[in-house]
Amino acid sequence: MPAGVFKESYEADMAIFRYPIHWAALILAVVAAVAAPFVIGKYYLNLLVVMMIFWIAAIGLNITLGLAGQISLAHAALMGIGAYTVANAALHLGVNSVAILPIAGLAAALLGIILSLPSFRLKEYYLAMASLAAQLILEYVYSRIDPDQYTPVPPETKTLLGISLTEPTALYYFILAITVVMALAAANIGRSSLGRAMKAVRDNDVASEAIGINVQLVKATAFAIGGFYAGVAGGLYAIYSSGIGWEGFTLVNSIELLGMVLIGGPGRVVWGSLLGVLVMRTGWTMMESTITPLLAGIGLSIIASSAKYIVLGFLIVVFIIAEPEGLIAVLRRVKEYFRLWPYSY
C-alpha cells in the first residue's frame, strides 16, 4: 500500500476508489467527459459515442468470457437482437426508442440463456463452435427479415423528456449516463458473490460443483448478463444510427469484440474492456485514414481491404501467447513499478 494510506474497515478495503490518486483521476475524467462536447468537434464526438457503445458490448462479453470463462462468438448477433428490437418497435409500432431499450436488453438476455445451453455439456473449442453456429444462424435470420440491409429508425422516436437525441450533444450525454451506470454495475458484479462464483466456475467447474455452486445456473446467468449488455449496446447503436443493417452484426464483428476483450484484459471487466475498445477503435480509425489508402495507392488494394483483419488476428495471437492477461496487466506492472520506486523490493 502507498505510505500513509491505511484501511480501517472492510468497506474501505472493498471500495472502488481506494487511493487519493483514484479520486483525482475520477475528478479529471468527470471534467473531461462533461466538457468534451464543447471542446471537440462533432466527428470526434461521434467517435466517442461509438466507443461507449462498444465499451458496453465489450463489458458484457468480458463478463461471459473473462469472469465465467465461457467463450462466445455470437456476441455481435446478440447486439443485433437489441438493435432490431428497438428499430422495429420504433418503425412499426411508433414506440419511443428509449422506452424500448430495457426490453431490447431483456430480449438479448433471453437469447443469451438459450445460447448458454450448450455450455452445460461443452467446453473450450467445442463451446466456441456451438456459439459460432448460433452466430451464423442468427445472421441468416437477420438477412431474411432485413434483405435490404437497412431498417430505418424514425428520428421522432428518439426523444427523452422532450429532448431530441438526434442532436449530437444530447445523444452523447444520454449514452454517457447509461455507460457509467452499466460500468458501475459490472464492477460490482465482479465483486459480488455471483462474481466470485463465476470466477470459480471459470477456474474449475468440477471443483465449483463439489463445493456447492450451481454451475449450470452460473453459466446461464453469465450468458444472460452478457446478452443484456449486448442488447442494450445494440439498442443504443440503433438510436445513434439513422438506420441499421445486419452487416453490422456479423461474425467479423463478434471476433472484433473478442479481440477487444483479449487485448484489453479478460477478467478485468471494466478497465480491461475500455483499454481494448480504445486500442481497437482508435487503431481502426488511424488505419482507415493512413495505411489503407497507402496500400491502395501502391496497387495492393486486396491487402488494403483486409489489412485491419490481418492486424486483428496478429494482435489476438500475440496477446494470447505473450500477455494473456491483456494490456491492463502491463499497465498494472508499470503502475506498481512507479508506486514503489525507488524501493521496488
Side-chain angles (χ1 to χ4, degrees):
M1 262 186 305
V5 179
F6 303 98
K7 306 296 186 300
E8 298 179 351
S9 66
Y10 177 77
E11 290 75 14
D13 192 46
M14 291 299 294
I16 296 178
F17 304 103
R18 288 178 290 176
Y19 303 125
I21 191 172
H22 292 167
W23 288 101
L26 175 63
I27 293 172
L28 288 175
V30 169
V31 172
V34 172
F38 307 101
V39 177
I40 61 178
K42 289 185 178 180
Y43 172 76
Y44 293 104
L45 194 63
N46 285 332
L47 286 182
L48 284 179
V49 168
V50 172
M51 284 186 180
M52 287 189 290
I53 292 173
F54 276 92
W55 186 18
I56 293 174
I59 287 174
L61 181 57
N62 213 334
I63 291 173
T64 304
L65 173 63
L67 281 187
Q70 306 304 302
I71 189 169
S72 173
L73 293 176
H75 208 66
L78 295 177
M79 283 186 67
I81 292 291
Y84 277 108
T85 299
V86 170
N88 283 290
L91 179 63
H92 300 296
L93 302 177
V95 180
N96 184 281
S97 299
V98 177
I100 205 68
L101 200 57
I103 298 177
L106 292 174
L110 178 61
L111 184 59
I113 294 175
I114 297 174
L115 295 181
S116 73
L117 298 180
S119 70
F120 298 168
R121 296 290 183 182
L122 303 177
K123 297 179 183 179
E124 299 175 351
Y125 306 111
Y126 303 102
L127 179 58
M129 291 300 102
S131 64
L132 173 61
Q135 168 71 43
L136 297 178
I137 290 171
L138 288 171
E139 279 186 38
Y140 175 76
V141 172
Y142 296 154
S143 68
R144 300 300 295 177
I145 65 175
D146 185 17
D148 297 329
Q149 298 192 30
Y150 184 77
T151 300
V153 184
E156 61 271 14
T157 65
K158 303 177 183 179
T159 59
L160 177 64
L161 301 177
I163 301 174
S164 174
L165 297 180
T166 56
E167 202 279 318
T169 302
L171 178 64
Y172 167 79
Y173 284 127
F174 168 68
I175 294 183
L176 175 64
I178 292 180
T179 303
V180 170
V181 170
M182 299 196 75
L184 287 174
N188 283 288
I189 288 173
R191 294 141 46 90
S192 67
S193 58
L194 174 61
R196 291 190 289 272
M198 288 181 181
K199 294 173 186 177
V201 170
R202 175 194 65 194
D203 294 339
N204 193 320
D205 57 352
V206 175
S208 300
E209 189 170 13
I211 63 174
I213 294 175
N214 189 331
V215 173
Q216 293 181 348
L217 178 61
V218 170
K219 290 181 178 180
T221 304
F223 273 97
I225 295 175
F228 181 81
Y229 272 74
V232 171
L236 290 174
Y237 185 79
I239 294 174
Y240 161 76
S241 307
S242 59
I244 60 170
W246 61 267
E247 75 280 357
F249 311 110
T250 62
L251 176 61
V252 171
N253 303 108
S254 286
I255 295 176
E256 286 182 7
L257 287 167
L258 180 65
M260 291 175 187
V261 173
L262 294 177
I263 292 171
R268 304 290 291 184
V269 174
V270 176
W271 302 117
S273 302
L274 177 60
L275 274 177
V277 171
L278 288 175
V279 170
M280 294 281 291
R281 300 305 301 183
T282 304
W284 285 175
T285 302
M286 293 177 62
M287 287 187 64
E288 290 173 354
S289 61
T290 55
I291 298 177
T292 301
L294 177 63
L295 291 174
I298 59 177
L300 299 175
S301 55
I302 296 178
I303 298 179
S305 61
S306 57
K308 72 176 187 178
Y309 303 116
I310 296 173
V311 173
L312 172 60
F314 175 76
L315 288 177
I316 289 177
V317 171
V318 167
F319 274 91
I320 288 177
I321 295 175
E323 190 53 78
E325 294 185 3
L327 282 174
I328 194 73
V330 177
L331 292 184
R332 192 188 308 121
R333 289 196 293 269
V334 172
K335 181 192 71 172
E336 288 301 305
Y337 174 82
F338 284 104
R339 185 172 71 86
L340 299 174
W341 186 87
Y343 307 108
S344 58
Y345 55 87

